[in-house]
Amino acid sequence: DKEYLETEEELAELTEAVLAQLGEYKLKTKILGVTLLTSLDGKDSEKIYKEGSTKKLVKKFTEIANNVNIHGLICSGDDLRALGKFDKLIKITPGVKMFARNDDQKRVTFVHNALQDGASFVVIGRELIESKKPLELLKKYGEQYKNKNLWTK
């Protein structure tokens, strides 16, 4: 009857059932949660969640995710340092960019910063999609950061 889960207990119950199914069928599927969309800032989180601090909200959501044993989180690069102690969680960071550019997202970071701050994976979207020569853009980025050993850890 409900459209969404209201409590951590409900989320834990659902997650436990999904994890059991994954185990039963020997699936390699990973369950990921979203902390706070990169398009939201403190004003938005205050309006939606009654919490103006995105850091506090992300920490709360991360603790819930950790407690219910999901595999990882999709989180802003801004949030990665605060999530360092949750090292067992996979961290996928969207809203990353290779070079300075105007962006409609409110909480973005650079690829190299996200990787240095603990992202397991990064999602580079518009910058590559909108490029007429995406391979050249990647090569340019690789050359600029070649001594950082970012692409392999």
Side-chain angles (χ1 to χ4, degrees):
D1 291 329
K2 293 188 289 186
E3 293 181 27
Y4 57 90
L5 303 174
E6 293 179 1
T7 67
E8 185 175 339
E9 290 78 25
E10 289 177 320
L11 181 59
E13 186 178 318
L14 176 64
T15 303
E16 188 176 306
V18 172
L19 289 170
Q21 289 293 303
L22 293 176
E24 182 178 337
Y25 294 104
K26 296 178 179 42
L27 299 174
K28 295 180 181 179
T29 303
K30 303 292 184 202
I31 301 172
L32 303 173
V34 177
T35 55
L36 188 64
L37 299 175
T38 57
S39 60
L40 301 179
D41 62 12
K43 291 178 191 172
D44 299 314
S45 66
E46 176 66 40
K47 182 178 177 182
I48 298 167
Y49 300 104
K50 309 297 184 247
E51 174 57 68
S53 168
T54 58
K55 299 259 186 256
K56 284 183 184 177
L57 191 58
V58 166
K59 185 176 180 192
K60 175 185 174 185
F61 289 160
T62 302
E63 286 172 353
I64 292 170
N66 193 56
N67 291 341
V68 299
N69 295 314
I70 64 173
H71 299 104
L73 293 169
I74 300 170
C75 60
S76 163
D78 290 348
D79 305 328
L80 288 166
R81 286 187 184 172
L83 307 183
K85 73 176 190 173
F86 299 99
D87 57 351
K88 75 172 188 167
L89 293 172
I90 297 166
K91 296 171 193 83
I92 299 176
T93 304
V96 298
K97 51 190 175 177
M98 296 184 292
F99 303 101
R101 59 176 267 167
N102 291 329
D103 205 301
D104 64 334
Q105 301 298 303
K106 296 176 181 175
R107 299 178 325 114
V108 298
T109 191
F110 290 102
V111 172
H112 47 279
N113 291 341
L115 292 170
Q116 289 169 346
D117 289 343
S120 309
F121 301 93
V122 294
V123 179
I124 306 168
R126 289 185 200 117
E127 205 163 1
L128 292 175
I129 292 169
E130 293 173 355
S131 173
K132 292 183 195 281
K133 298 181 180 180
L135 185 56
E136 285 183 28
L137 191 64
L138 280 170
K139 286 179 182 179
K140 179 181 172 188
Y141 180 81
E143 282 299 311
Q144 185 169 336
Y145 294 98
K146 65 182 172 187
N147 295 324
K148 302 258 187 222
N149 194 26
L150 295 174
W151 301 109
T152 59
K153 285 193 172 192

